[in-house]
Amino acid sequence: MRSLTVLLILLAMISHSHGKRPRHSLNSFYIEPTVGQPWPKPQSIRTTFEQYALHPAAFHFLVNSTSQTCDLLTSAFDRYYKLIFYPSSYLNYILNPKSTDNEIKYKPKKSLHDLRDVTLLKRLNVHIQEPCEQYPALESDESYTLTINGDNGMLESVSIWGAIRGLETFSHIVYPDENLGLAINQTVISDFPRFQHRGLLLDTSRHFISIRTLKMNLEAMANSKMNVFHLHIVDDQSFPYESRTFPDLSGAGAYNQEHVYSQNDIADLIEFARQRGIRVVVEFDSPGHTQSWGRVIDVLTHCYNGGKPTNELGPMDPSRNSTFDFLKKLFSEIANVFPDHYVHLGGDEVNFDCWRSNPDVQAFMRQMEFGNDYSLLEQYYMQNVVNIVASTGKGYTVWQEIIDNNVTVKADTVVDVWKEPYPVELARVTKLGYRTLLSACWYLNYISYGQDWINYYKCDPHNFNGTDAQKKLVVGGEACMWGELIDATNVISTTWPRAATVAERLWSAANVTDPNAATPRLEEHRCRYLRRGIPAAPVNGPSYCDVEYNR
Amino acid sequence: MLTMIVIDYIEAKFPLRGEPSAPNAPWPQPQYLNVSSDYIYIDPEFFIVYSNLKNCDIIDKAIERYKPIFFPPKLSIQIPNIFHEDQIFLSVSILVKSKKCHTYPQLHDDQSYSITIENSYGIIFAENVWGALNGLETFSQLLFINENNYLVTNASIYIHDWPRFPYRGILLDTARHFLPVPIIKQHLDAMVYNKFNVFHWHITDDQSWPFVSQKFPQLTEKGAFSSDHVYTPDDVQDIIEHARLRGIRTIPEFDTPGHVAALGRAFPEFLTDCYNGSIAGQAIYGVHAEREILDPTKEEVYKFMNEFLKEVKNIFKYESYIHLGMDEVYPACWMSNPNIQNFLKENNMSNGTDLMTYYSKEILKLMKSIGGKSMVWQDIWDDGVKLPSDTVIEIWKDTSLLSNSPSWSYYLSKATSEGYDAVLAAPFYLNMISYGKYNTPESVMNLEFFKWYNIDLFENFTGDNIARQRLIGGEAALWAEFIDGTNSLSRLWPRVSAVAERLWSSIYVNNPEDAQFRLDVHRCRMLRRGIPAAPILNGYCGSYEVGMKHSMVNEPIFNYIN
C-alpha cells in the first residue's frame, strides 16, 4: 500500500503551493522508511542484494582467538543478541536485569526448518587489537570495520569501543524480513566518527529525572552512537546529587529526599554508560546557578539592599576563603566519584547585582584592586575553581564565558560554545588554541512545530572561518535538553529522534548533509527505536511503524 | 515521606508571580467555592460512598473507578487515630435528583452539581447522573494526602458548580498517526479529570483509514497503514463505552469529499480523475494530483455514503451527531474534468462552489434520512450552503492561520446570529507547539499556557443574547502530523487543561499567574492517576513521577495495556 506514496507526495506539493492549508500544510508527507540502513550513516558502506537469514538458534558472537577481550565485550554480546532477536523484551531486560520476563516466550517467525534452503549468517567474529580500556575517553578510538559475507561475519576494531560501535551498526543492518524472519545483506562497512565528542546534555535540576529514565536515554544515545552524557546535575532549582562529604547539600537542596541520586545510583549510571562506551561528564555549575547549594551551607553571597542584608542570596561568594575550602572538598569528592577525565565547571550567566550590593564583596574588590569591574571578580573566582579542579588531576569543560572572560585555563580545556553567533565564538576560541565543542545550535528544548530537526542537521561545527589547525580543535558538539519544561514524562519523546540528527552530524562524513536523503533513514531509525521500546516521536509528518508505542 | 504540599518554585532571576495553590485546589475552578481552613481525616477502610440510584451503571462503575483515585495505590496512607473521631470523614452520598439513570449525555443535559461537606458527611447533589459525575470528579480532587501521610480534606466545603459552555471537546486525529486504543482510553480519563465532555474522533483522513467497516472491509484492507493499524468494531465499541461511562460523547468524523486519499485506495473509482489538458489521471504539479476528492457527479458515491453512514449511525448508536468534515475542498481537479464540466452545464452550475453545494446538500439530506444530525467544519457554510438548523458548525479559520480570512470571532458571531450552534476550534490547535518559557523581561511565565488560557470565546462577539447561547463551546485539536502514542499524552496534558478551565469556569477566573500554580498541582494529580502530564513549572511532584519508585504511569489500574 506504500505505492500510494507518489500520490501523497503530489498532494503534499499541492498543499504547499496553495500555501493556505494550515491543517494540511505538513500532513501529506509519507516517507517510505529504508530497510536495514544504519544511523548514523557509516563513513563507507557497500551492500549487495544478497541476503542471509539470522536465527537465534543458529547464530553466535565469537571472539577471535587472537583478539583482546573483556567483560565489556561479553556483556555487549549478550545485549546485542537480545536486541537483535528479542527486541520487544530488550528494554525491560536492560532496565530490570533480574526480571523474569525473558525471551523464551518470543518465538522466532521462521523456524530453522523454514530456513533450510537459505544461507544463514551463523557467526560474527570479533577481533579487537588493543587491550580493553576500562573507561572511554575523549581520545578513544571508535573505528571499526564490519564485513558480512556468507555464513560468516567479521567485526574488527582497534579498541573495545570500536567493537561496541560496530555491534550497534550490525544490529541496524539486521532487519525484519517476510521470507527470512530476520535478514542481513552482504555488506562491507568501514567506519569511524568525524568528531570524538558527541554529547547530549540532560538537566536534572529543573526537574528530577529518574535513574530508570536516564538509563533509557543512555540506551537511546548508544543506538545513535553518541558517546558523552553531559549530566547537568545541579542548578538553582535543586541539588539532587547526594554528596558523601556534604550530605546536607542534597539534604536541603534536593526537592525532597526521594528526588536524589545516591552514590549507588551514580555508580550504577556510570556503569550503564561505560557498558555502552559512553562517558559521563558531570557539571557542577558555579558561581551562578547555585541557589540550591546555599540552603544550609554558607557559600553564597548575601545580597544587600539599602545597606541592609535582604534574605536573598546571590552567586558563590568569592570574598571568603571558606568558599574555596568548601569547593576543594567538593571537587576532590567529585574527582573520585566520576571517572571521566573531564568535569564541566559551568561558569555561565553570572549576575553581578548581588555581588555589587554586598559590603564584604565591595571591600574585597578594593583589596584586590578590581575597581568596579565585577568581571574581574568572576575571573578571580573561576581561576580559583579551575586551579582547584586541576589539582585533583582532572581536566575541565567550561561554558564559553570563562574564555570570554580571560580566565587562564589548562591546555586540555574544552570550551562549550552555547551562544550565537557560534561561528564567531568557535573561531575565537580555537584561535586561542583551546579545544571546543558546539552546543549553540542544538538546544533541543526549544521546540517548534514541524520538521525542526532539519535545522539541527544543517548546523556544522566546522562552519567558521579558521585554519585547518583551528578546525582540528573542534572536538564535537552536544545536543542540550534543558529541563524547564521537561521531565520523565516527555524527555525521551522530546529528545528522540531529534538528538539522533545531531548524532549523525557529529559522526558521519562532512558531506552527509542532505536532509531529504536522511529522511527515509531517519524514519527507519525512529521505528527501530520503537521496536526497541524507546518512545521516539514522529518528526517527519504522517507515518507509521510496525511496532507502535502504546504505554 | 510524601510531600505533595510543599513545592518549591525557585526561579533564579525572577520570582514567579501569582498566588500559590492549595494542594487540593480543583481544576477547572468551580463557579462557587467556599472552603474552611481546618481538615478532616479519612480512613480508607471506613469510608463509604452512597448513591440514591441503585443499579445504575454510570454511578456504580464511577464509584468503583474512583476508589484507586481516592486511595492511590502504592502511596502509603496513615490510618487516622481514634481520638480524631469527630474529625473523621465518614461518607459521601451521591444524590441524583431526577433519579434517572441516563444512558448517554446530550448537549443540553444539566451538568451542574453541588458538594457539601459538613460534620463528617459529604453530599454530592446533582440534577442527573452527568452532573453527579462532575461532582464526583471535583470531590476526588478535594482529597489529598498531607505531609504526614494522612488522607484529608477541608472540614467544611460548599461548592456549587456548572459549566460556562455545554460543549467542551477534544479532537484526536488517528489518521496521520495511529493511536493505540490504550492511549485513547487514557486521553478519555484525562478528559474526565478536566471536565471535557466531547471526544471528537477524527478517525480517517488522506493518510490512513483505520476504522473497520463491516459493510466495506476493503476500506481498512486497502486504506489502513497495516492490518495492525486498525480499530475493530470491538475496539470502537470499547472506546464509545469507555467514554459514555465517563459522561463523554464520542462524535466520529468521516471527512468527505476531500481528505479521502485513504478511502480512494479502497474505491479509486469514487475519486475525481484530474485532467492535464485532455489527459485523464495526470497530475499538474502545484495544482492537483492525478486523482483526488470524491466525484460528486457519480451516483455510486452517494450509494456508498448512504450505506456507510447508516453503518456508522448504528455503531455510534447513542450519539445523534456525525461530523461530516467537508473542509478544505479545492476545485482545481473537479474543474479540470470534462464530465464534471458537462455536469455543471447540465445543472446550471458554474463553479466548484456550486458543485460543493450540490454534494453537501445531498449528504446532509442523506444524514437527515437516516436520522442523524450533522456537524461540519465551517467551509460549506462559508460557501453559503443553507444547512439544516440543527447543524453544528465548527469554526477553525482565523486570520492567524489564513492571512486572508476574517477572525474567528467574526465567524462565531455570524454563524450563531444565523441561528446555528457553533463550536470554536480555531485558536485551540494544541499541536502547533512553541517553546513557552521565559519570554517576558519581568516575570517568569509559561507563555504557551498563557496563550491558551487567555482566550475569551466572546471576544469581539457581536451577536445578541440568543446568539450567545448558540456559541455552545470550544474544542482543542491535537492534529497528529507529529503526534502518536509516544508523545500524545505528554503533549496534550496539561497544556489543554488551560482550555478546559476557559470552557468550564467563570470568565472572571482569568489570572494565569494564579492559575499556573493550581495547574501545577493539577498536573501532579494527573501524574498520580497515571497520566504522563508534562511539567509547566520547575519543581517536582512526588515519588509517583514517571520512572520513580511509585510511578503510576505503568500501574495496571490506570492504563489499559492488555
Side-chain angles (χ1 to χ4, degrees), chain B residues 490-538:
Chain B
S490 63
R491 263 292 145 76
L492 195 56
W493 308 100
R495 291 155 79 242
V496 78
S497 302
V499 183
E501 183 148 296
R502 186 51 50 239
L503 295 176
W504 178 282
S505 303
S506 155
I507 183 61
Y508 303 110
V509 179
N510 58 9
N511 180 339
E513 289 176 331
D514 291 343
Q516 64 184 341
F517 289 98
R518 271 191 306 112
L519 184 57
D520 197 57
V521 163
H522 189 52
R523 102 110 176 162
C524 293
R525 180 183 290 139
M526 284 194 267
L527 272 185
R528 284 199 298 282
R529 299 175 180 194
I531 305 295
I536 62 151
L537 300 178
N538 291 330

Short mmCIF file of all heavy atoms in Angstrom, two decimals, chain B residues 490-538:
data_model
loop_
_atom_site.label_atom_id
_atom_site.label_comp_id
_atom_site.label_asym_id
_atom_site.label_seq_id
_atom_site.Cartn_x
_atom_site.Cartn_y
_atom_site.Cartn_z
N SER B 490 1.72 13.37 26.80
CA SER B 490 2.52 14.43 27.43
C SER B 490 2.46 15.74 26.65
O SER B 490 2.71 16.80 27.19
CB SER B 490 3.98 13.97 27.62
OG SER B 490 4.60 13.70 26.39
N ARG B 491 2.12 15.66 25.35
CA ARG B 491 1.94 16.89 24.57
C ARG B 491 0.65 17.60 24.96
O ARG B 491 0.58 18.81 25.10
CB ARG B 491 1.82 16.56 23.08
CG ARG B 491 3.06 16.69 22.26
CD ARG B 491 3.55 18.09 22.11
NE ARG B 491 5.01 18.14 22.07
CZ ARG B 491 5.74 17.80 21.02
NH1 ARG B 491 5.19 17.38 19.92
NH2 ARG B 491 7.04 17.86 21.10
N LEU B 492 -0.41 16.81 25.10
CA LEU B 492 -1.72 17.42 25.30
C LEU B 492 -1.94 17.84 26.75
O LEU B 492 -2.52 18.88 27.02
CB LEU B 492 -2.81 16.44 24.86
CG LEU B 492 -4.20 17.04 24.66
CD1 LEU B 492 -4.16 18.18 23.66
CD2 LEU B 492 -5.17 15.97 24.19
N TRP B 493 -1.48 17.03 27.68
CA TRP B 493 -1.73 17.28 29.10
C TRP B 493 -0.47 17.75 29.77
O TRP B 493 0.55 17.17 29.54
CB TRP B 493 -2.26 15.99 29.77
CG TRP B 493 -3.41 15.44 29.01
CD1 TRP B 493 -3.37 14.40 28.13
CD2 TRP B 493 -4.77 15.90 29.03
NE1 TRP B 493 -4.61 14.20 27.58
CE2 TRP B 493 -5.49 15.09 28.12
CE3 TRP B 493 -5.44 16.92 29.72
CZ2 TRP B 493 -6.85 15.29 27.89
CZ3 TRP B 493 -6.79 17.09 29.49
CH2 TRP B 493 -7.48 16.28 28.58
N PRO B 494 -0.53 18.79 30.57
CA PRO B 494 -1.71 19.55 30.99
C PRO B 494 -1.92 20.82 30.15
O PRO B 494 -2.67 21.68 30.57
CB PRO B 494 -1.34 19.94 32.41
CG PRO B 494 0.12 20.25 32.32
CD PRO B 494 0.68 19.29 31.28
N ARG B 495 -1.28 20.96 29.00
CA ARG B 495 -1.44 22.21 28.26
C ARG B 495 -2.91 22.48 27.96
O ARG B 495 -3.40 23.61 28.09
CB ARG B 495 -0.63 22.16 26.97
CG ARG B 495 0.88 22.19 27.21
CD ARG B 495 1.65 21.54 26.08
NE ARG B 495 1.81 22.39 24.93
CZ ARG B 495 1.31 22.10 23.72
NH1 ARG B 495 0.64 20.98 23.53
NH2 ARG B 495 1.51 22.91 22.72
N VAL B 496 -3.62 21.40 27.58
CA VAL B 496 -5.02 21.59 27.19
C VAL B 496 -5.91 21.86 28.40
O VAL B 496 -7.06 22.26 28.26
CB VAL B 496 -5.49 20.38 26.36
CG1 VAL B 496 -5.79 19.19 27.26
CG2 VAL B 496 -6.68 20.75 25.49
N SER B 497 -5.38 21.65 29.59
CA SER B 497 -6.14 21.99 30.79
C SER B 497 -6.46 23.48 30.82
O SER B 497 -7.45 23.90 31.41
CB SER B 497 -5.37 21.60 32.05
OG SER B 497 -5.08 20.22 32.04
N ALA B 498 -5.59 24.27 30.20
CA ALA B 498 -5.86 25.72 30.11
C ALA B 498 -7.17 25.94 29.36
O ALA B 498 -7.99 26.78 29.75
CB ALA B 498 -4.71 26.41 29.38
N VAL B 499 -7.38 25.18 28.31
CA VAL B 499 -8.62 25.29 27.54
C VAL B 499 -9.80 24.78 28.37
O VAL B 499 -10.88 25.36 28.36
CB VAL B 499 -8.51 24.50 26.21
CG1 VAL B 499 -9.77 24.67 25.37
CG2 VAL B 499 -7.27 24.93 25.42
N ALA B 500 -9.54 23.72 29.12
CA ALA B 500 -10.61 23.14 29.95
C ALA B 500 -11.16 24.18 30.92
O ALA B 500 -12.37 24.32 31.07
CB ALA B 500 -10.07 21.94 30.73
N GLU B 501 -10.26 24.91 31.56
CA GLU B 501 -10.74 25.90 32.53
C GLU B 501 -11.44 27.06 31.83
O GLU B 501 -12.45 27.57 32.30
CB GLU B 501 -9.58 26.41 33.39
CG GLU B 501 -10.06 27.39 34.46
CD GLU B 501 -9.24 27.34 35.73
OE1 GLU B 501 -9.24 26.29 36.40
OE2 GLU B 501 -8.60 28.36 36.06
N ARG B 502 -10.93 27.45 30.66
CA ARG B 502 -11.58 28.52 29.91
C ARG B 502 -13.00 28.14 29.55
O ARG B 502 -13.90 28.95 29.54
CB ARG B 502 -10.74 28.84 28.65
CG ARG B 502 -11.18 30.01 27.84
CD ARG B 502 -11.40 31.30 28.66
NE ARG B 502 -10.32 31.64 29.52
CZ ARG B 502 -10.46 31.76 30.85
NH1 ARG B 502 -11.64 31.60 31.45
NH2 ARG B 502 -9.43 32.07 31.60
N LEU B 503 -13.21 26.86 29.23
CA LEU B 503 -14.53 26.43 28.77
C LEU B 503 -15.49 26.14 29.92
O LEU B 503 -16.70 26.18 29.77
CB LEU B 503 -14.41 25.18 27.88
CG LEU B 503 -13.66 25.38 26.56
CD1 LEU B 503 -13.52 24.04 25.83
CD2 LEU B 503 -14.37 26.40 25.67
N TRP B 504 -14.93 25.81 31.07
CA TRP B 504 -15.80 25.48 32.19
C TRP B 504 -16.03 26.66 33.13
O TRP B 504 -17.16 27.00 33.48
CB TRP B 504 -15.22 24.30 33.00
CG TRP B 504 -16.07 23.94 34.19
CD1 TRP B 504 -16.11 24.62 35.38
CD2 TRP B 504 -17.03 22.89 34.29
NE1 TRP B 504 -17.03 24.04 36.22
CE2 TRP B 504 -17.61 22.97 35.58
CE3 TRP B 504 -17.45 21.88 33.43
CZ2 TRP B 504 -18.59 22.09 36.02
CZ3 TRP B 504 -18.43 20.98 33.87
CH2 TRP B 504 -18.99 21.10 35.16
N SER B 505 -14.96 27.32 33.54
CA SER B 505 -15.04 28.24 34.67
C SER B 505 -15.59 29.60 34.25
O SER B 505 -15.71 29.92 33.07
CB SER B 505 -13.66 28.41 35.30
OG SER B 505 -13.17 27.15 35.69
N SER B 506 -15.86 30.38 35.26
CA SER B 506 -16.36 31.74 35.03
C SER B 506 -15.33 32.55 34.27
O SER B 506 -14.13 32.35 34.39
CB SER B 506 -16.64 32.38 36.39
OG SER B 506 -16.57 33.78 36.28
N ILE B 507 -15.81 33.50 33.51
CA ILE B 507 -14.92 34.39 32.76
C ILE B 507 -14.01 35.17 33.71
O ILE B 507 -12.92 35.60 33.35
CB ILE B 507 -15.74 35.35 31.86
CG1 ILE B 507 -14.82 36.25 31.01
CG2 ILE B 507 -16.69 36.21 32.67
CD1 ILE B 507 -13.92 35.53 30.07
N TYR B 508 -14.43 35.31 34.97
CA TYR B 508 -13.62 36.06 35.92
C TYR B 508 -12.46 35.26 36.47
O TYR B 508 -11.60 35.79 37.17
CB TYR B 508 -14.50 36.59 37.06
CG TYR B 508 -15.62 37.45 36.50
CD1 TYR B 508 -16.94 37.00 36.53
CD2 TYR B 508 -15.33 38.67 35.89
CE1 TYR B 508 -17.95 37.77 35.99
CE2 TYR B 508 -16.34 39.43 35.33
CZ TYR B 508 -17.65 38.99 35.38
OH TYR B 508 -18.64 39.74 34.82
N VAL B 509 -12.45 33.96 36.19
CA VAL B 509 -11.28 33.15 36.56
C VAL B 509 -10.31 33.26 35.39
O VAL B 509 -10.33 32.47 34.45
CB VAL B 509 -11.68 31.68 36.78
CG1 VAL B 509 -10.46 30.84 37.13
CG2 VAL B 509 -12.72 31.58 37.87
N ASN B 510 -9.50 34.31 35.41
CA ASN B 510 -8.69 34.57 34.22
C ASN B 510 -7.30 35.11 34.53
O ASN B 510 -6.68 35.76 33.71
CB ASN B 510 -9.43 35.53 33.28
CG ASN B 510 -9.74 36.83 33.98
OD1 ASN B 510 -9.27 37.08 35.09
ND2 ASN B 510 -10.55 37.67 33.36
N ASN B 511 -6.82 34.84 35.73
CA ASN B 511 -5.47 35.28 36.06
C ASN B 511 -4.50 34.10 35.89
O ASN B 511 -4.42 33.21 36.72
CB ASN B 511 -5.44 35.78 37.51
CG ASN B 511 -4.05 36.24 37.91
OD1 ASN B 511 -3.05 35.86 37.30
ND2 ASN B 511 -3.99 37.06 38.94
N PRO B 512 -3.74 34.11 34.79
CA PRO B 512 -2.88 32.95 34.52
C PRO B 512 -1.76 32.80 35.55
O PRO B 512 -1.27 31.69 35.77
CB PRO B 512 -2.31 33.24 33.13
CG PRO B 512 -2.47 34.70 32.93
CD PRO B 512 -3.65 35.13 33.74
N GLU B 513 -1.38 33.88 36.17
CA GLU B 513 -0.28 33.77 37.13
C GLU B 513 -0.71 33.02 38.38
O GLU B 513 0.07 32.30 38.99
CB GLU B 513 0.28 35.15 37.45
CG GLU B 513 1.04 35.69 36.24
CD GLU B 513 1.57 37.09 36.39
OE1 GLU B 513 0.95 37.88 37.12
OE2 GLU B 513 2.59 37.40 35.75
N ASP B 514 -1.97 33.20 38.78
CA ASP B 514 -2.50 32.37 39.86
C ASP B 514 -2.77 30.96 39.34
O ASP B 514 -2.47 29.97 40.00
CB ASP B 514 -3.82 32.94 40.41
CG ASP B 514 -3.61 34.25 41.16
OD1 ASP B 514 -2.45 34.54 41.53
OD2 ASP B 514 -4.60 34.97 41.36
N ALA B 515 -3.33 30.90 38.15
CA ALA B 515 -3.77 29.60 37.62
C ALA B 515 -2.60 28.64 37.44
O ALA B 515 -2.75 27.43 37.61
CB ALA B 515 -4.49 29.81 36.30
N GLN B 516 -1.42 29.17 37.09
CA GLN B 516 -0.31 28.25 36.83
C GLN B 516 0.03 27.41 38.07
O GLN B 516 0.46 26.27 37.95
CB GLN B 516 0.92 29.01 36.33
CG GLN B 516 1.50 29.97 37.36
CD GLN B 516 2.66 30.78 36.79
OE1 GLN B 516 3.25 30.40 35.79
NE2 GLN B 516 2.98 31.89 37.42
N PHE B 517 -0.18 27.98 39.26
CA PHE B 517 0.10 27.20 40.46
C PHE B 517 -0.94 26.10 40.66
O PHE B 517 -0.61 24.98 41.03
CB PHE B 517 0.14 28.11 41.70
CG PHE B 517 1.35 29.00 41.74
CD1 PHE B 517 1.29 30.30 41.30
CD2 PHE B 517 2.56 28.51 42.20
CE1 PHE B 517 2.40 31.12 41.33
CE2 PHE B 517 3.68 29.31 42.25
CZ PHE B 517 3.61 30.63 41.79
N ARG B 518 -2.19 26.47 40.43
CA ARG B 518 -3.23 25.43 40.54
C ARG B 518 -3.02 24.36 39.47
O ARG B 518 -3.21 23.18 39.71
CB ARG B 518 -4.62 26.04 40.40
CG ARG B 518 -5.21 26.50 41.72
CD ARG B 518 -6.68 26.87 41.59
NE ARG B 518 -6.90 27.85 40.54
CZ ARG B 518 -7.55 27.61 39.41
NH1 ARG B 518 -8.07 26.41 39.18
NH2 ARG B 518 -7.69 28.55 38.51
N LEU B 519 -2.62 24.79 38.30
CA LEU B 519 -2.41 23.82 37.23
C LEU B 519 -1.24 22.90 37.55
O LEU B 519 -1.25 21.72 37.22
CB LEU B 519 -2.19 24.52 35.89
CG LEU B 519 -2.08 23.55 34.69
CD1 LEU B 519 -3.30 22.66 34.60
CD2 LEU B 519 -1.88 24.31 33.39
N ASP B 520 -0.23 23.45 38.21
CA ASP B 520 0.90 22.62 38.59
C ASP B 520 0.45 21.53 39.56
O ASP B 520 0.85 20.37 39.45
CB ASP B 520 1.99 23.49 39.20
CG ASP B 520 3.33 22.78 39.25
OD1 ASP B 520 3.80 22.37 38.18
OD2 ASP B 520 3.88 22.62 40.35
N VAL B 521 -0.40 21.92 40.51
CA VAL B 521 -0.98 20.95 41.44
C VAL B 521 -1.80 19.91 40.65
O VAL B 521 -1.75 18.71 40.92
CB VAL B 521 -1.88 21.68 42.47
CG1 VAL B 521 -2.82 20.71 43.18
CG2 VAL B 521 -1.03 22.45 43.48
N HIS B 522 -2.50 20.41 39.67
CA HIS B 522 -3.36 19.52 38.88
C HIS B 522 -2.54 18.56 38.03
O HIS B 522 -2.91 17.40 37.85
CB HIS B 522 -4.28 20.37 38.00
CG HIS B 522 -5.35 19.60 37.30
ND1 HIS B 522 -6.21 18.74 37.95
CD2 HIS B 522 -5.69 19.54 35.99
CE1 HIS B 522 -7.04 18.19 37.07
NE2 HIS B 522 -6.74 18.65 35.87
N ARG B 523 -1.41 19.04 37.53
CA ARG B 523 -0.58 18.14 36.72
C ARG B 523 -0.03 17.02 37.60
O ARG B 523 0.05 15.88 37.18
CB ARG B 523 0.50 18.91 35.98
CG ARG B 523 1.87 18.84 36.54
CD ARG B 523 2.84 18.02 35.68
NE ARG B 523 4.15 18.13 36.32
CZ ARG B 523 5.17 17.33 36.11
NH1 ARG B 523 5.09 16.35 35.25
NH2 ARG B 523 6.29 17.50 36.75
N CYS B 524 0.32 17.34 38.86
CA CYS B 524 0.78 16.29 39.76
C CYS B 524 -0.35 15.31 40.02
O CYS B 524 -0.15 14.09 40.08
CB CYS B 524 1.28 16.87 41.08
SG CYS B 524 2.78 17.87 40.91
N ARG B 525 -1.56 15.84 40.12
CA ARG B 525 -2.74 14.99 40.32
C ARG B 525 -2.88 14.04 39.14
O ARG B 525 -3.12 12.84 39.32
CB ARG B 525 -3.95 15.91 40.45
CG ARG B 525 -5.27 15.23 40.66
CD ARG B 525 -6.38 16.27 40.70
NE ARG B 525 -6.34 17.09 41.90
CZ ARG B 525 -6.56 18.42 41.92
NH1 ARG B 525 -6.83 19.08 40.80
NH2 ARG B 525 -6.51 19.08 43.05
N MET B 526 -2.71 14.56 37.93
CA MET B 526 -2.82 13.68 36.77
C MET B 526 -1.71 12.61 36.78
O MET B 526 -1.96 11.46 36.44
CB MET B 526 -2.79 14.50 35.47
CG MET B 526 -4.11 15.22 35.21
SD MET B 526 -4.24 15.85 33.53
CE MET B 526 -3.64 17.51 33.75
N LEU B 527 -0.52 13.01 37.20
CA LEU B 527 0.57 12.02 37.31
C LEU B 527 0.19 10.92 38.30
O LEU B 527 0.47 9.75 38.06
CB LEU B 527 1.85 12.68 37.81
CG LEU B 527 2.81 13.30 36.82
CD1 LEU B 527 4.05 13.78 37.55
CD2 LEU B 527 3.20 12.31 35.73
N ARG B 528 -0.44 11.33 39.41
CA ARG B 528 -0.87 10.33 40.40
C ARG B 528 -1.90 9.38 39.83
O ARG B 528 -2.13 8.31 40.34
CB ARG B 528 -1.45 11.00 41.65
CG ARG B 528 -0.44 11.61 42.57
CD ARG B 528 -1.01 11.82 43.97
NE ARG B 528 -2.13 12.74 44.01
CZ ARG B 528 -2.03 14.07 43.96
NH1 ARG B 528 -0.83 14.63 43.83
NH2 ARG B 528 -3.09 14.83 44.03
N ARG B 529 -2.58 9.82 38.76
CA ARG B 529 -3.60 8.99 38.14
C ARG B 529 -3.08 8.34 36.86
O ARG B 529 -3.86 7.92 36.01
CB ARG B 529 -4.84 9.85 37.84
CG ARG B 529 -5.43 10.44 39.12
CD ARG B 529 -6.58 11.38 38.82
NE ARG B 529 -7.13 11.94 40.06
CZ ARG B 529 -8.30 12.57 40.13
NH1 ARG B 529 -9.03 12.70 39.03
NH2 ARG B 529 -8.74 13.05 41.27
N GLY B 530 -1.77 8.30 36.73
CA GLY B 530 -1.18 7.54 35.63
C GLY B 530 -1.13 8.25 34.29
O GLY B 530 -0.78 7.64 33.29
N ILE B 531 -1.47 9.54 34.26
CA ILE B 531 -1.38 10.29 33.01
C ILE B 531 -0.01 10.99 32.98
O ILE B 531 0.27 11.79 33.87
CB ILE B 531 -2.49 11.37 32.92
CG1 ILE B 531 -3.88 10.76 33.12
CG2 ILE B 531 -2.39 12.14 31.59
CD1 ILE B 531 -4.31 9.81 32.05
N PRO B 532 0.82 10.72 31.99
CA PRO B 532 2.15 11.36 31.97
C PRO B 532 2.06 12.82 31.55
O PRO B 532 2.55 13.21 30.49
CB PRO B 532 2.92 10.53 30.94
CG PRO B 532 1.88 9.97 30.04
CD PRO B 532 0.64 9.78 30.88
N ALA B 533 1.45 13.63 32.38
CA ALA B 533 1.28 15.05 32.09
C ALA B 533 2.61 15.76 32.29
O ALA B 533 3.27 15.58 33.31
CB ALA B 533 0.21 15.65 32.99
N ALA B 534 2.98 16.58 31.34
CA ALA B 534 4.30 17.22 31.34
C ALA B 534 4.33 18.40 32.30
O ALA B 534 3.30 18.95 32.66
CB ALA B 534 4.64 17.68 29.92
N PRO B 535 5.52 18.80 32.71
CA PRO B 535 5.62 19.95 33.62
C PRO B 535 5.35 21.28 32.92
O PRO B 535 5.63 21.42 31.74
CB PRO B 535 7.07 19.89 34.10
CG PRO B 535 7.81 19.12 33.07
CD PRO B 535 6.83 18.20 32.42
N ILE B 536 4.79 22.23 33.66
CA ILE B 536 4.70 23.59 33.14
C ILE B 536 5.51 24.57 33.98
O ILE B 536 5.77 25.68 33.56
CB ILE B 536 3.25 24.11 33.05
CG1 ILE B 536 2.59 24.16 34.43
CG2 ILE B 536 2.42 23.29 32.09
CD1 ILE B 536 1.55 25.24 34.50
N LEU B 537 5.88 24.18 35.19
CA LEU B 537 6.75 24.99 36.04
C LEU B 537 7.91 24.13 36.49
O LEU B 537 7.81 22.90 36.51
CB LEU B 537 6.01 25.47 37.30
CG LEU B 537 4.76 26.32 37.13
CD1 LEU B 537 4.15 26.63 38.49
CD2 LEU B 537 5.11 27.61 36.41
N ASN B 538 8.98 24.77 36.91
CA ASN B 538 10.04 24.00 37.56
C ASN B 538 9.49 23.41 38.85
O ASN B 538 8.57 23.96 39.45
CB ASN B 538 11.23 24.90 37.90
CG ASN B 538 11.95 25.35 36.65
OD1 ASN B 538 11.97 24.64 35.65
ND2 ASN B 538 12.53 26.53 36.70
#
